[in-house]
């Protein structure tokens, strides 16, 4: 590894400012990171955390961004460094792991060739030596049969394996600092736990310094020594992770923590039990304006537009007290108010509903096969379930469990290979990625209007009036009919998707990972919006997600999927409180804990389990 000057911090940042045009993304940030230490930078979208991380490697150079202040990484003055010095810094002394491995890996070249190229650029040497190094680091990050897998291309890897490959690439030149920008956002809980365990082991074994950027406070609790909370480009609070998460000083930090979905109602008790849940309860909403603070749109670069607190005017800077009050009040209300459906006597997913109980959808013997011959496999294999009016069915499982395929068959986007789906009314879907589900060349108003036109409506005046009504219903400005998707934040785009789904006046909405890419406060706003709509319209919801904590909060019943089958089902309190299937217990044990001590115990248990499996 590249040596760091004796006694000097690995990272020194003083009075850092980063601006994009008139937007100040980072505003006077200062911190240090010692060799071998781990710092978590947490905050909402737009808080400036990613912009700060990119500045450490000089990645803003040539983008038009204005960067000022002092940045030293391993003794290198990043602001004053030449382009050649920056190239040497990146990958040599410090390396970065980005959020989306698909966009970071070249789809044409094999994984091994890409890692070998990084090694040769920084270390030189023969192709044979570079290939050997690629295999070594792939093996180090837990890629099985690394020599063979090194000849695979990115599309042949799962999401978790692609993220491991990115970490391997970062390790190729033995850096002293690893910057990980939301490295587990798109991963299910078990793969996320594996990646976090890997980062922990790398730090322990190599003395690697870690800067972890994340909006998931639980991920930070699992991975770092200290945590830095950011808001609107500034430091709000910093300190040992255990102290900050257990006893936050600042109201904003308290509000941020209060918005984190939990498996249990209070911090530090995330172990399996039977605590009260907080589902979509009709009483939970008291304001139809929640989420309008998202009106300050955010570009793809992390920027400081202020957090998405309710009832804040567009572009306004909300006060910490105001934000904390809204967020904390929302969480307290949801935790305190039980669902009126609890104890209703409704049966589990597979039970036959009593006549007249408002069945809106039923699936019997549902199967979906992909491929032919020996390559054929059943993504969904013999699933029975039903959903009634006004209830929420959560579907959880790892990536590849078949939950998304099941959701698409319920809506009718995929035809089942066997079995049947019976619907008593229109069914719509809200997709995981609102960016790819909205046409960037069409205004959001036209996208919302599509179901109206498909139903035969031709009067433009009536269409615009109905779209304005739908936008207002989901907490967006009704006058933004002619705005385009890129002008909206992630949470706002998801609201557009919900408005489009409502246009067809469905009885059931299938939500496929609707909040997986959103920060915790925006997640809370979107789920609260769905709660309000469910209350007012009597909607039934199928909530497909890999985040078990979110599913617990929003669901009446839950079905756990593995390899295309439902392995456990029932009332959410029963399944979470007394899981019967080992796979369900495994999923629950992998959910990040806000208690660093408990996280360490779980990590040790996972390591012992893995060693026992190998033995």
């Amino acid at each position: 590894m590249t040596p760091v000057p004796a006694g000097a911090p690995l990272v020194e940042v003083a009075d850092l400012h980063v601006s994009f045009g008139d937007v100040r993304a980072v505003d006077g940030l200062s911190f240090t990171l010692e060799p071998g230490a781990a710092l978590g930078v947490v905050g909402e979208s737009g808080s400036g955390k990613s912009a700060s991380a990119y500045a450490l490697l000089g990645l803003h150079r040539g983008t038009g961004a204005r960067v000022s202040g002092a940045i030293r990484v391993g003794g290198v003055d990043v602001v004053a460094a030449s382009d050649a010095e920056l190239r040497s810094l990146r990958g040599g002394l410090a390396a970065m792991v980005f959020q989306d491995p698909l966009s970071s890996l070249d789809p044409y070249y094999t994984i091994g060739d890409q890692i070998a190229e990084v090694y040769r650029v920084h270390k030189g040497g023969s192709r044979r030596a570079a290939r050997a190094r690629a295999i070594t680091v792939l093996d180090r990050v837990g890629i099985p049969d690394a020599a063979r897998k090194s000849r695979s291309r990115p599309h042949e890897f799962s999401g978790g394996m692609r993220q491991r490959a990115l970490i391997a690439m970062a390790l190729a030149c033995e850096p002293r600092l690893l910057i990980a920008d939301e490295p587990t956002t798109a991963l299910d809980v078990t793969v996320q736990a594996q990646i976090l365990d890997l980062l922990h082991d790398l730090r322990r074994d190599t003395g690697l310094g870690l800067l972890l950027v994340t909006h998931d406070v639980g991920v930070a609790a699992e991975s770092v020594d200290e945590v830095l909370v950011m808001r609107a480009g500034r430091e709000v609070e910093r300190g040992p992770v255990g102290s900050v998460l257990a006893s936050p000083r600042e109201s904003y930090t308290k509000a941020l923590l209060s918005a984190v979905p939990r498996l249990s109602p209070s911090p530090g008790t995330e172990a399996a039990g039977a605590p009260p849940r907080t589902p979509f309860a009709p009483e939970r909403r008291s304001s139809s304006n929640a989420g309008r603070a998202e009106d300050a749109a955010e570009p793809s670069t992390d920027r400081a537009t202020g957090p998405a607190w309710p009832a804040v005017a567009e572009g306004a800077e909300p006060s910490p007290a105001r934000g904390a009050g809204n967020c904390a009040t929302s969480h307290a209300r949801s935790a305190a108010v039980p669902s009126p459906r609890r104890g209703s006597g409704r049966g589990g997913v597979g039970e036959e509903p009593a006549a007249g109980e408002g069945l809106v959808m039923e699936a019997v013997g549902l199967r979906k096969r992909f491929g032919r011959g020996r390559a054929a496999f059943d993504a969904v294999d013999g699933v029975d379930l039903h959903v009634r009016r006004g209830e929420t069915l959560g579907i959880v499982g790892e990536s590849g469990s078949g939950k998304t395929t099941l959701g698409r068959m319920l809506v009718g986007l995929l035809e089942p290979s066997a079995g049947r789906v019976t619907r008593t009314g229109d069914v719509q879907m809200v997709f995981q990625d609102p960016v790819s589900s909205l046409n960037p060349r069409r205004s959001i108003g036209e996208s919302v209007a599509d179901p109206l036109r498909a139903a035969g409506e031709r009067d433009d005046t009536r269409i615009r009036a109905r779209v304005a009504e739908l936008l207002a219903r989901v907490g967006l400005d009704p006058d933004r009919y002619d705005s385009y998707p890129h002008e909206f934040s992630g949470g706002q785009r998801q609201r557009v998707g919900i408005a489009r789904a409502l246009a067809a006046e469905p009885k059931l909405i299938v939500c496929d990972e609707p909040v997986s890419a959103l920060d915790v406060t925006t997640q809370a706003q979107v789920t609260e919006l769905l709660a309000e709509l469910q209350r007012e319209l009597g909607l039934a919801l199928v909530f497909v997600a890999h985040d078990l904590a979110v599913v617990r909060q929003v669901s009446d019943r839950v079905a756990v999927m593995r390899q295309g089958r439902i392995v456990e089902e029932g009332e959410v309190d029963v399944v979470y409180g007394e899981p019967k299937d080992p796979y369900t217990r495994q999923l629950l044990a992998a959910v990040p804990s806000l208690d660093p001590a408990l996280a360490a115990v779980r990590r040790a248990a996972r390591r012992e389990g893995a060693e026992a499996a190998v033995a």
Side-chain angles (χ1 to χ4, degrees):
M1 291 188 178
T2 305
V4 177
L10 180 60
V11 177
E12 296 177 90
V13 174
D15 197 29
L16 175 64
H17 292 78
V18 180
S19 298
F20 301 95
D22 295 331
V23 176
R24 181 167 290 178
V26 183
D27 189 7
L29 185 67
S30 300
F31 66 87
T32 61
L33 177 66
E34 299 298 323
L39 173 67
V41 182
V42 302
E44 299 171 287
S45 298
S47 62
K49 55 188 187 296
S50 289
S52 304
Y54 292 172
L56 298 186
L57 296 181
L59 294 178
H60 295 304
R61 184 170 295 184
T63 67
R66 298 192 306 276
V67 180
S68 63
I71 308 170
R72 298 189 72 86
V73 177
V76 176
D77 186 336
V78 176
V79 175
S82 66
D83 290 345
E85 289 172 326
L86 283 182
R87 285 194 296 271
S88 178
L89 169 68
R90 300 167 187 163
L93 176 62
M96 193 160 194
V97 176
F98 294 93
Q99 176 176 349
D100 181 10
L102 270 182
S103 63
S104 303
L105 295 168
D106 192 313
Y108 182 77
Y109 294 99
T110 68
I111 294 291
D113 284 346
Q114 294 184 61
I115 297 174
E117 178 67 16
V118 171
Y119 183 81
R120 294 194 71 199
V121 165
H122 289 279
K123 298 290 188 179
S126 66
R127 292 183 182 274
R128 181 187 295 269
R131 286 282 305 174
R133 178 59 181 166
I135 293 171
T136 297
V137 292
L138 284 172
D139 181 70
R140 178 66 189 85
V141 299
I143 298 292
D145 195 4
R148 183 175 63 86
K149 289 288 188 180
S150 70
R151 297 189 290 271
S152 300
R153 288 176 170 78
H155 73 274
E156 299 177 89
F157 276 27
S158 67
M161 287 180 65
R162 283 193 293 264
Q163 199 62 283
R164 287 174 183 268
L166 270 190
I167 296 174
M169 185 180 297
L171 296 176
C173 300
E174 299 183 296
R176 295 295 304 175
L177 171 66
L178 183 66
I179 302 171
D181 184 20
E182 301 280 9
T184 63
T185 295
L187 305 178
D188 58 58
V189 289
T190 51
V191 178
Q192 174 178 264
Q194 293 167 9
I195 296 299
L196 296 179
D197 289 349
L198 170 62
L199 292 175
H200 182 271
D201 291 345
L202 289 171
R203 286 184 55 215
R204 180 195 62 193
D205 298 342
T206 68
L208 187 71
L210 174 66
L211 183 78
L212 177 67
V213 175
T214 180
H215 67 253
D216 190 328
V217 184
V219 167
E222 293 262 346
S223 312
V224 301
D225 309 313
E226 287 194 321
V227 64
L228 167 62
V229 181
M230 289 190 68
R231 180 191 183 195
R234 300 178 181 178
E235 174 188 321
V236 173
E237 187 165 355
R238 178 175 44 170
V241 63
S243 300
V244 172
L245 299 188
S247 303
R249 299 187 311 272
E250 301 298 326
S251 57
Y252 175 78
T253 309
K254 296 175 183 177
L256 195 64
L257 288 170
S258 74
V260 176
R262 293 175 171 87
L263 292 182
S264 57
S266 59
T269 59
E270 292 88 343
R277 61 184 172 82
T278 55
F280 287 144
E283 297 96 338
R284 287 175 63 183
R285 294 281 294 189
S286 60
S287 169
S288 62
N289 294 322
R292 296 197 182 193
E294 295 174 282
D295 286 348
E298 60 190 21
S300 57
T301 302
D302 201 359
R303 56 170 279 193
T305 57
W309 299 122
V312 180
E314 181 170 349
E317 172 65 23
S319 68
R322 185 183 203 179
N326 280 317
C327 185
T329 301
S330 171
H331 177 76
R333 182 170 63 248
S334 65
V337 179
S339 167
R341 295 185 293 276
R342 293 189 71 200
S344 63
R346 291 176 174 173
V349 177
E351 297 177 10
E352 286 296 325
E357 282 202 72
L359 195 69
V360 298
M361 189 278 300
E362 183 178 31
V364 178
L366 215 55
R367 177 175 282 104
K368 183 62 181 180
R369 172 162 291 194
F370 293 102
R372 295 180 179 179
R374 292 185 177 181
F377 69 98
D378 290 327
V380 174
D381 187 9
V383 167
D384 300 332
L385 57 81
H386 65 267
V387 187
R388 301 182 182 89
R389 183 180 185 273
E391 75 170 350
T392 300
L393 170 65
I395 300 178
V396 300
E398 296 174 290
S399 298
S401 63
K403 57 187 187 296
T404 292
T405 300
L406 174 60
R408 288 174 180 263
M409 285 193 290
L410 297 181
V411 175
L413 292 177
L414 285 175
E415 286 294 324
S417 303
R420 62 178 173 83
V421 179
T422 303
R423 310 174 186 90
T424 62
D426 190 82
V427 180
Q428 291 292 311
M429 194 165 198
V430 174
F431 296 91
Q432 175 177 356
D433 182 8
V435 174
S436 61
S437 63
L438 294 172
N439 189 330
R441 297 185 177 183
R442 302 181 69 220
S443 72
I444 59 104
E446 285 302 303
S447 291
V448 174
D450 282 342
L452 303 177
R453 299 188 193 278
E457 180 62 70
R458 294 293 180 265
D459 188 299
D460 286 340
T461 300
R462 285 200 296 267
I463 287 174
R464 292 187 75 96
R466 175 59 176 156
V467 170
E469 177 186 333
L470 290 167
L471 293 177
R473 172 64 66 88
V474 299
L476 295 174
D477 185 346
D479 294 330
R480 299 192 70 180
Y481 185 107
D482 296 313
S483 298
Y484 287 84
H486 73 272
E487 300 177 71
F488 292 83
S489 69
Q492 287 176 316
R493 286 192 290 262
Q494 199 58 286
R495 290 171 182 269
V496 173
I498 295 172
R500 181 173 58 184
L502 291 176
E505 299 183 355
K507 288 188 177 181
L508 170 68
I509 295 180
V510 176
C511 302
D512 183 21
E513 300 278 10
V515 297
S516 64
L518 305 178
D519 60 56
V520 290
T521 49
T522 308
Q523 279 185 3
Q525 291 166 1
V526 171
T527 55
E528 287 284 294
L529 170 63
L530 290 170
E532 179 180 325
L533 296 171
Q534 189 172 44
R535 179 196 69 190
E536 294 178 356
L537 304 176
L539 290 170
L541 296 172
V542 172
F543 200 94
V544 178
H546 65 255
D547 191 325
L548 277 77
V550 171
V551 169
R552 171 152 204 171
Q553 288 195 320
V554 305
S555 301
D556 296 292
R557 296 182 292 120
V558 63
V560 182
M561 290 193 70
R562 184 186 190 190
Q563 296 179 349
R565 299 181 179 182
I566 294 178
V567 298
E568 188 161 1
E569 55 187 334
E571 296 289 333
V572 69
D573 286 346
V574 176
V575 172
Y576 277 65
E578 299 177 359
K580 295 181 175 60
D581 193 272
Y583 177 70
T584 307
R585 293 195 292 270
Q586 176 187 345
L587 288 179
L588 291 170
V591 176
S593 168
L594 291 181
D595 180 354
L598 179 58
V601 171
R602 289 181 172 179
R603 182 166 51 246
R606 288 193 295 266
R607 184 180 297 113
E608 290 177 3
E611 291 172 352
V614 172

